Amino acid sequence: MSPSPWLISVSSLALSIALAASAQAAELSPLNRDSGLPRAPEQEAVAFEHADLSFKVIPATRSLEGDARLTFKAKAPLTAVVLDLDRNYSVARVEVDGQAVPASAWSNPEGRMRIALPQPVAADGRVIVRVVYSGKPHVATRAPWDGGFVWAKAPTGEPWVASAVQGEGCDLLWPCIDHPQGEPALVDEHITVPAPLVAPGNGVAVGMDERDGWRTYHWRARDPDTYAITLNVGPYQAITGQYRSRYGNTVPLAFWHLKGNEDKAKGLFDEFSRMLEFFEAVIGPYPFGDEKMGVVETPHLGMEHQTINAYGNDYKKDKYGYDWLLQHEFSHEWFGNQLTNADWDDMWLHEGFGSYMQPLYLQFLRGQMDYHAALLDQRAALTNKVPIVLGRTRTEEAVYNREQGSGLDIYYKGSLMLHTLRGLIGDAAFFDSIRQLVYGTSTPRPGNFEPRYGTTREYIDIVNRLTGKDYGWFFDVYLYKAALPELIAERDATGLALRWKAPDDLPFPMPVQVRLGGNDGKVVDVPMRGGQGHVDLPAGTPYTLDPDSRLLREEPRFAAAQKDAAARKQAAEKKAK
């Protein structure tokens, strides 16, 4: 998902999320409204091998006709298949292994569809389920934060359609297992749209058929995130090219843009290779180089749809001189699509790492000033109300909700924590830990890794193993507690006494740097064993804590600025009334 500390105010974003959730509450069942609910036992008992999905998008009636053939391998004896599908769709036909089953064999009262099998499937056996359905898909009130379909018109008058279903889940589009671990190993998409509209899709193009005024585009993708399977329809034109990777392979590039945007689109397309160069140099090989790096212009802000990232930022450059939206969504090809969180409670692995990629990219492009300035923007947005990890299963809504959940802190607190970790353990261990998390190896090369699931606990174990130290204290405070640690400095008879005050008095032996004197003074390292340390400092000598801004810590100035901004906004709104 696509926040921006520079272009979208935190308060307006939170209000939009709340309004969107309340607006659709009456329309969607709880099962369809929440993504990432515990899987049914029958869903845990299968490996999802293949999804063959046919979609007919009918803009004139804002409706969808779907035909899904789903292949599962049983990991345990199976007597039923359970799918998630928006109950507002009408199901016309259900088949098991090519044979229609009676209506009495299946039900979908609350959006969790249960299909009784004609005969049990033994462990290691396979079953193919077909569901033919149709209806008016749920409409997004404010995509991408509110999931659903966007039915729009291009500036030239043609239909312009997009789906964005991260928050509410894949069941708003197709019968799926709406859980991060519900990824199908292979997906075929057949997208039928009115000619001459174009329908870019996930993965690689297999072909296009045109008949009776309709076009069907065929796409094939491997291991896509469930919410990354998407529909995009419009009067698109394509810019294509190639990127020659440092790893020896060639990555196809494609940008589908609206007619009339050719010049602006060419400028954005020119950024593709530079972004690929950054990620491959700093993180590792582009995970889907055998498919494509694809981007499509959309009537909503954006979303990390695998190999066909949604882009709706209107070609804006921010104050740092690059398109933050494109770069953020593209970062999710590594942190979200290659590495997928095993549970929504681990969503900071997507958003925290993805958000850190923006300052890191600016450091790569232009150096330290832009890097620290971008981190400062993120720091100003922290709320620190709810831990970014709770250590228990959560739904997408429970994580993103700003009042009861972690909200934007999974983005910015996650990013700033990674900046602090990098300073603590050093670049070599830090970037190696990312590669092991993302690829499962320190030496990734095209062909020697596959998409994988990751957890918070796994990342902590990776850091401990690489450093040979136990950094549980670090993650206990930053990930599992809401409040930030406070660094207390007090002068005494001989100098400066330092101590950490961590939430719940947890151990926090974070080393601290102190600059003695003015801007050109000596910088000393204070070990802080037991969370305490001391610096000899003559009376009257000025000092600066953490002069290189390595530490994420409680600083009252940020809360004061937020409080002042909120009060001024409230006063302005009252005056306007």
Side-chain angles (χ1 to χ4, degrees):
M1 204 172 285
S2 317
S4 169
W6 312 297
L7 303 180
I8 302 171
S9 75
V10 174
S11 58
S12 64
L13 175 58
L15 177 62
S16 298
I17 293 173
L19 290 175
S22 62
Q24 64 187 337
E27 224 178 311
L28 294 174
S29 75
L31 282 170
N32 297 140
R33 187 177 62 244
D34 291 331
S35 180
L37 290 167
R39 288 172 290 169
E42 295 87 351
Q43 292 177 325
E44 293 185 339
V46 297
F48 199 167
E49 293 189 331
H50 186 207
D52 193 333
L53 306 175
S54 296
F55 303 106
K56 186 174 185 179
V57 182
I58 310 172
T61 58
R62 295 191 170 189
S63 59
L64 178 72
E65 295 178 1
D67 189 343
R69 291 176 172 84
L70 314 174
T71 303
F72 299 100
K73 181 179 180 180
K75 297 188 288 187
L78 203 63
T79 59
V81 168
V82 176
L83 306 170
D84 297 302
L85 178 65
D86 185 358
R87 63 178 177 177
N88 293 322
Y89 286 117
S90 297
V91 176
R93 184 178 179 87
V94 176
E95 295 179 0
V96 175
D97 292 331
Q99 298 298 314
V101 299
S104 60
W106 63 269
S107 62
N108 191 33
E110 295 298 327
R112 179 157 280 183
M113 187 176 190
R114 182 179 183 86
I115 303 168
L117 300 177
Q119 55 270 333
V121 176
D124 294 327
R126 285 176 174 80
V127 61
I128 300 175
V129 173
R130 180 188 182 194
V131 179
V132 181
Y133 62 102
S134 63
K136 293 183 180 294
H138 181 69
V139 174
T141 303
R142 187 170 184 258
W145 300 284
D146 166 35
F149 268 61
V150 180
W151 302 94
K153 291 283 187 182
T156 46
E158 299 93 337
W160 189 18
V161 184
S163 65
V165 298
Q166 178 180 351
E168 288 68 27
C170 51
D171 50 352
L172 297 193
L173 177 59
W174 58 286
C176 61
I177 298 176
D178 185 17
H179 189 276
Q181 296 188 57
E183 292 183 2
L186 180 68
V187 173
D188 282 292
E189 298 172 278
H190 316 279
I191 307 170
T192 300
V193 299
L197 297 179
V198 179
N202 303 94
V204 297
V206 179
M208 189 273 283
D209 306 319
E210 187 167 349
R211 183 181 304 169
D212 301 327
W214 294 85
R215 287 179 171 180
T216 300
Y217 291 83
H218 305 276
W219 297 91
R220 177 169 292 166
R222 58 181 174 83
D223 297 294
D225 243 356
T226 54
Y227 70 79
I229 297 171
T230 183
L231 295 178
N232 294 284
V233 181
Y236 290 120
Q237 296 175 336
I239 302 174
T240 60
Q242 292 183 329
Y243 170 76
R244 297 190 181 278
S245 167
R246 65 180 55 232
Y247 292 94
N249 60 313
T250 299
V251 180
L253 309 176
F255 180 28
W256 285 268
H257 62 87
L258 292 180
K259 293 186 297 184
N261 288 342
E262 291 85 355
D263 291 342
K264 292 185 290 186
K266 180 61 170 63
L268 187 66
F269 184 79
D270 289 342
E271 294 189 44
F272 286 18
S273 292
R274 188 64 165 153
M275 290 182 183
L276 271 165
E277 181 184 20
F278 157 72
F279 278 105
E280 292 209 322
V282 176
I283 306 301
Y286 176 57
F288 308 102
D290 56 338
E291 295 184 348
K292 67 178 183 298
M293 175 191 173
V295 179
V296 60
E297 192 170 356
T298 56
H300 63 83
L301 185 61
M303 182 66 71
E304 61 270 21
H305 297 139
Q306 190 166 308
T307 73
I308 188 67
N309 279 290
Y311 172 83
N313 199 33
D314 197 28
Y315 303 95
K316 296 173 185 173
K317 296 288 195 298
D318 69 1
K319 64 185 178 184
Y320 298 104
Y322 80 120
D323 197 305
W324 72 267
L325 186 282
L326 175 63
Q327 205 273 352
H328 178 83
E329 302 304 356
F330 187 45
S331 73
H332 285 307
E333 296 285 25
W334 284 262
F335 308 102
N337 298 333
Q338 164 60 28
L339 167 73
T340 301
N341 55 295
D343 187 275
W344 283 105
D345 191 46
D346 300 305
M347 192 59 187
W348 79 275
L349 296 176
H350 292 206
E351 303 295 11
F353 277 98
S355 295
Y356 185 56
M357 292 303 109
Q358 282 81 72
L360 200 61
Y361 183 52
L362 293 172
Q363 186 180 44
F364 177 83
L365 289 177
R366 286 187 280 277
Q368 294 300 101
M369 183 174 75
D370 284 18
Y371 172 73
H372 283 286
L375 288 170
L376 184 62
D377 285 334
Q378 293 182 350
R379 178 63 182 87
L382 296 193
T383 59
N384 303 308
K385 290 183 177 180
V386 176
I388 59 179
V389 181
L390 296 184
R392 63 174 185 264
T393 292
R394 287 195 284 174
T395 65
E396 186 273 349
E397 165 62 17
V399 174
Y400 278 91
N401 186 286
R402 186 168 178 251
E403 295 304 318
Q404 289 82 40
S406 309
L408 292 176
D409 281 0
I410 64 171
Y411 295 82
Y412 307 136
K413 190 173 182 179
S415 172
L416 292 157
M417 183 209 71
L418 290 170
H419 164 69
T420 300
L421 179 65
R422 179 185 175 190
L424 179 64
I425 67 176
D427 277 9
F430 177 72
F431 288 107
D432 194 3
S433 74
I434 297 178
R435 281 186 284 274
Q436 290 200 23
L437 177 69
V438 171
Y439 302 102
T441 175
S442 296
T443 55
R445 299 193 64 83
N448 79 340
F449 61 87
E450 294 180 351
R452 62 188 310 275
Y453 292 107
T455 67
T456 300
R457 183 69 256 174
E458 180 193 15
Y459 185 62
I460 296 171
D461 290 342
I462 289 171
V463 170
N464 290 344
R465 184 176 68 251
L466 287 175
T467 59
K469 298 179 181 179
D470 184 357
Y471 283 105
W473 58 267
F474 176 93
F475 295 103
D476 284 347
V477 168
Y478 283 127
L479 290 180
Y480 294 96
K481 295 297 177 182
L484 291 174
E486 181 183 0
L487 180 59
I488 298 173
E490 298 174 326
R491 288 185 180 269
D492 60 20
T494 59
L496 190 66
L498 301 173
R499 64 183 174 89
W500 283 107
K501 183 180 179 182
D504 295 337
D505 293 323
L506 288 173
F508 197 71
M510 173 70 76
V512 175
Q513 288 188 330
V514 181
R515 186 177 63 212
L516 311 180
N519 289 343
D520 58 350
K522 177 184 177 183
V523 176
V524 298
D525 295 305
V526 185
M528 301 295 288
R529 295 182 182 89
Q532 298 185 6
H534 191 275
V535 180
D536 291 338
L537 186 67
T541 303
Y543 66 89
T544 303
L545 299 176
D546 188 29
D548 293 326
S549 301
R550 293 184 176 186
L551 304 175
L552 175 58
R553 58 192 173 100
E554 178 58 38
E555 296 181 75
R557 61 187 174 117
F558 291 107
Q562 289 177 354
K563 184 178 180 180
D564 180 70
R568 290 174 184 274
K569 180 181 179 182
Q570 185 178 28
E573 290 173 347
K574 184 176 180 180
K575 184 177 180 181
K577 291 179 180 180

